[in-house]
Amino acid sequence: MAIHRVLPSLSAFLCVLGFVWSSQYDGYKLYEVPISTGHEVQLLLYLQHHRPSIDVWALNKLGPKRVLVPPILQKTVESFFKDYRINYTVKVEDFGKNYSARQAPTMQLEDPTFMNSYPTYDEINDYLVQIATENFEWIRFRIIGWSVEGRPIRAITINPDKQRTIIVDAGIHAREWITVSTALYLIKKLIEDGDQYRILHEYKWVIVPLVNPDGYIYSTETDRYWRKNRRRLSDKCVGVDLNRNFGFRWDVGVNLFSGECHPGFRGYAPFSEPETRALRTVIDNNPDADLYINLHSFGGYLIYPWSYDSAAVENVEDLRKVGVSAARAMWHYGHHEYKVGSSSEILRYQASGTSIDYAYSVGIDFPFAMEIAEYGYSDFQPPTNAIAQIVKESFVGIKEMVYAVRKLKAETKE
C-alpha cells in the first residue's frame, strides 16, 4: 500500500491517541521529591500502598523521585509531604496537557530496524519471523507461552547448538518500551555483525524481546504509563506486576505488594501468571546459563541478587566485578553513570518475587537486572532521536558483561 494512502488514517489515529492520553491524565500533577534516605523511601512505599492510584516512578532510583498524583489526592499527598517534612516541587502542573503530544508514538514506515521509532506489537513479531526465516540455519523461533489475553510470547534462539548459554528478556513492565528496542538491537547485532563479535557467537543466546505483550499493547494504545499485565482481578483492579510474581521468596513483604490495585501487586500465588510461567520455562531449561539479563528502564543501575533480602549472595564479589566492568564500558561510550549493587545496597528497599532472584535460586550464577539510564528528563519514553544512542550504549554494557563473565569463569578453571 502506498504511504500517502496510509497517512490520513494514521494522522487520525495519532490524534485519537493523543486525546486519550491527554484526557486520561488531565489535572494530574507530577511531583519531584529529593529522596536521600532509606526512611524516606519507606515513606513513599507506605504512601503508595495506602493510595495505590498514586504512581511513584523509578522508586528504585537514588536521588529525586517523581510521583504522579490524580487531582482527587493532591491535597492529601501535599499534606503527607508536609507532615513528614518531605520537600517537594511540582514538576508538571497538568500532566495530561503537558505530555500528550510527546507521548504519541512514531509509526514505523520506512526503517525496519526500529532505531528511530518504537515498534508496534505486530511489527515486533513480523521482524522476528523475518530474521528467523532468513537465517533458519542458526536461528530458532518459538512460542514459549501465551499471555493472559491469549497472545503468543516468543523467544528467539541464536546459535542453538552451542553449549554455553546467555538469556536476555525485555518488556516485562509494559511502559518500558526502550527495553524492547534494546533486545531487538541486540538480536540485530548478533545476526549482522557476527564476524566483529566472534566471542559472542561462542554462546547460545535465548532472547525474549517482549514478555508482556498485553501490557505493551495497552501502554501503546490506551495508557502510556501502564506497568503490569492485563489480568482482570476485580471490577476496579487490573494487572499483576510480573516481576513480583516469580516463585522464589514470593511471599516476602506480603503487605507491601498484596493489594490488588497496587502498581506492584504480586498476584495471588507464585507463577500465577502465564507470562512468568513462560519465562520460567526458559530459565528452568537453562539452569547452567553463564549470564541472565533482565532489561528494565529507567534509572542507570546494574542490580544483582538478592532483591528480597539484604544478605549478600555467595559470589557477590564476582557479581560486582562484572557489573563494574559493564558500568565503566557504558560510561566511556555514552557518559551515562550506572550504579552497581543489590537492591538493598543501592535501591534502599527490597522486592520479592523477582526474576533475577529466581534465576539465581535455580543455579544461574550471574543474573542481572539492567535498568537502562534515563536520557535527559525523559522518564519511560526517551525521544525517538535518542533510541539509537541508548540501545547502542546498552549493547556495549551487555557485551562487556559477557566478556567479564567469560574471564571470571576462565580464571576459576585455572
Side-chain angles (χ1 to χ4, degrees), residues 172 211-212 229 240-246 273 275-276 353:
I172 197 168
V211 176
N212 183 8
N229 75 350
V240 171
D241 184 341
L242 298 177
N243 204 37
R244 301 291 183 270
N245 190 241
F246 286 81
E273 305 311 295
E275 296 90 349
T276 52

Side-chain angles (χ1 to χ4, degrees), residues 199-237:
I199 290 178
L200 300 185
H201 281 270
E202 295 179 8
Y203 296 87
K204 174 178 70 176
W205 290 78
V206 184
I207 303 172
V208 185
L210 182 53
V211 176
N212 183 8
D214 301 344
Y216 185 84
I217 290 174
Y218 192 75
S219 175
T220 58
E221 295 182 356
T222 305
D223 181 350
R224 175 63 188 89
Y225 292 92
W226 187 257
R227 169 186 172 93
K228 302 183 284 184
N229 75 350
R230 293 298 298 166
R231 166 77 70 188
R232 172 63 64 177
L233 302 170
S234 66
D235 291 340
K236 295 182 179 180
C237 304

Side-chain angles (χ1 to χ4, degrees), residues 10-117:
L10 174 60
S11 299
F13 173 69
L14 293 182
C15 287
V16 170
L17 279 184
F19 173 76
V20 170
W21 280 335
S22 176
S23 60
Q24 185 170 13
Y25 289 103
D26 278 353
Y28 277 62
K29 285 185 179 181
L30 185 66
Y31 297 84
E32 187 163 273
V33 183
I35 295 297
S36 59
T37 69
H39 175 66
E40 291 170 326
V41 170
Q42 294 303 315
L43 287 174
L44 284 187
L45 286 169
Y46 175 86
L47 176 64
Q48 189 177 51
H49 176 67
H50 289 279
R51 295 291 187 272
S53 58
I54 294 170
D55 193 1
V56 182
W57 291 356
L59 187 57
N60 56 352
K61 180 180 180 181
L62 292 179
K65 303 291 183 294
R66 295 167 211 166
V67 186
L68 187 62
V69 183
I72 195 172
L73 290 177
Q74 287 164 10
K75 289 185 178 179
T76 299
V77 168
E78 291 177 6
S79 296
F80 180 88
F81 289 158
K82 291 175 182 177
D83 288 345
Y84 288 95
R85 299 181 180 179
I86 298 174
N87 295 323
Y88 70 91
T89 57
V90 178
K91 196 71 177 179
V92 179
E93 279 285 351
D94 190 332
F95 190 80
K97 179 180 179 181
N98 193 282
Y99 274 60
S100 59
R102 185 175 69 84
Q103 292 166 351
T106 302
M107 295 295 287
Q108 191 72 35
L109 295 177
E110 297 179 352
D111 176 18
T113 62
F114 311 127
M115 295 290 282
N116 299 305
S117 68

